[in-house]
């Protein structure tokens, strides 16, 4: 079982772009690894189309994208060709051909009672640490805009030492402001109260403070 906070396991994978060693191949970069149940299936096709047309947005955040399913590389190549010929979109990111299911098994991507991968998403940071894992079932397609939001939020959190609220940057309560870590000591409670008085932060209470992202 892999969990967030762990290093992404060192594995060699066969992809539509050739063999790669993970996480080494993306060293120093964020990467998003997502699995889909199978090639040539309807929901997966809509997800691949949607991912490709957003790929630029992932790259703008300094992140690479890589797909995975328990299929052979020939199947991935043929499916990508079908998407290009029929939907006019060329899949530019690599897809792992995990035909033995060993990578999916190691990453815990196969649901109970299934032989296919779930719709899993792993976000891995430039140090190779797994920062987020999201699982969707086969019958529901993912929203890549939410994955982009999650990636961006992790980057903002790392850079600024803040936390991000529900649906940030469109939060109903604190708008696009960011959350100051809650005070965990009497000294910090005092500090938050002083920061509030100086107008540096706003607070509903000392444990619920927020500020503008500069
Ligand atoms: C699909 O992508 O349409 C799909 C794949 C596996 C199970 C159910 C739906």
């Amino acid at each position: 079982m892999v969990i967030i906070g762990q290093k992404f396991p060192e594995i060699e994978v066969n992809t539509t772009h050739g063999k790669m060693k993970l996480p080494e191949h993306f060293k120093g970069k964020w990467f998003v690894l997502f699995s889909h149940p199978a090639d040539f299936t309807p929901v997966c096709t809509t997800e691949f189309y949607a991912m490709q047309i957003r790929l630029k947005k992932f790259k703008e955040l300094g992140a690479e994208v890589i797909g995975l399913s328990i299929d052979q590389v020939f199947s991935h190549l043929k499916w990508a060709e079908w998407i290009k010929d029929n939907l006019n979109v060329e899949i530019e990111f690599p897809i792992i051909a995990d035909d033995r299911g060993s990578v999916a098994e190691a990453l815990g991507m196969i649901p109970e009672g299934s032989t296919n991968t779930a719709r899993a998403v792993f976000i891995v940071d430039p140090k190779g640490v797994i920062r987020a894992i999201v699982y969707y079932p086969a019958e529901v397609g993912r929203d890549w805009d939410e994955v982009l939001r999650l990636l961006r939020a992790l980057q903002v959190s790392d850079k600024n030492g803040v936390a991000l609220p529900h649906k940030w940057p469109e939060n109903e309560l604190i708008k696009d402001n960011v959350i100051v870590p809650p005070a965990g000591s009497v000294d910090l409670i005092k500090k938050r109260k002083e920061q509030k008085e100086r107008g540096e932060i706003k607070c509903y209470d000392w444990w619920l403070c927020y500020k503008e992202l500069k």
Side-chain angles (χ1 to χ4, degrees), residues 33 39 91 102 139 166 198 200:
L33 166 61
D39 298 346
I91 302 299
S102 56
E139 59 272 29
H166 165 77
R198 287 197 299 268
E200 293 166 11

Side-chain angles (χ1 to χ4, degrees), residues 94-178:
I95 315 165
I96 298 169
D98 188 25
D99 46 358
R100 293 189 184 166
S102 56
V103 180
E105 187 74 46
L107 294 174
M109 289 171 157
I110 307 173
E112 191 70 37
S114 178
T115 50
N116 291 349
T117 36
R119 299 186 193 280
V121 182
F122 283 66
I123 299 183
V124 183
D125 74 13
K127 291 181 182 152
V129 175
I130 302 168
R131 299 294 301 278
I133 303 178
V134 181
Y135 280 101
Y136 267 48
E139 59 272 29
V140 183
R142 289 155 287 193
D143 178 352
W144 299 130
D145 292 330
E146 170 57 11
V147 176
L148 277 164
R149 190 190 78 90
L150 174 55
L151 173 62
R152 193 170 155 229
L154 283 167
Q155 294 177 347
V156 166
S157 175
D158 282 5
K159 191 171 170 205
N160 301 280
V162 294
L164 292 314
H166 165 77
K167 224 178 164 190
W168 175 86
E170 289 166 23
N171 181 262
E172 292 89 348
L173 208 51
I174 65 167
K175 314 288 182 240
D176 62 350
N177 290 298
V178 295

Side-chain angles (χ1 to χ4, degrees), residues 36-47 79 116-117 119 137-140:
H36 64 281
D39 298 346
F40 294 99
T41 51
V43 178
C44 301
T45 304
T46 64
E47 286 191 329
W79 186 38
N116 291 349
T117 36
R119 299 186 193 280
E139 59 272 29
V140 183

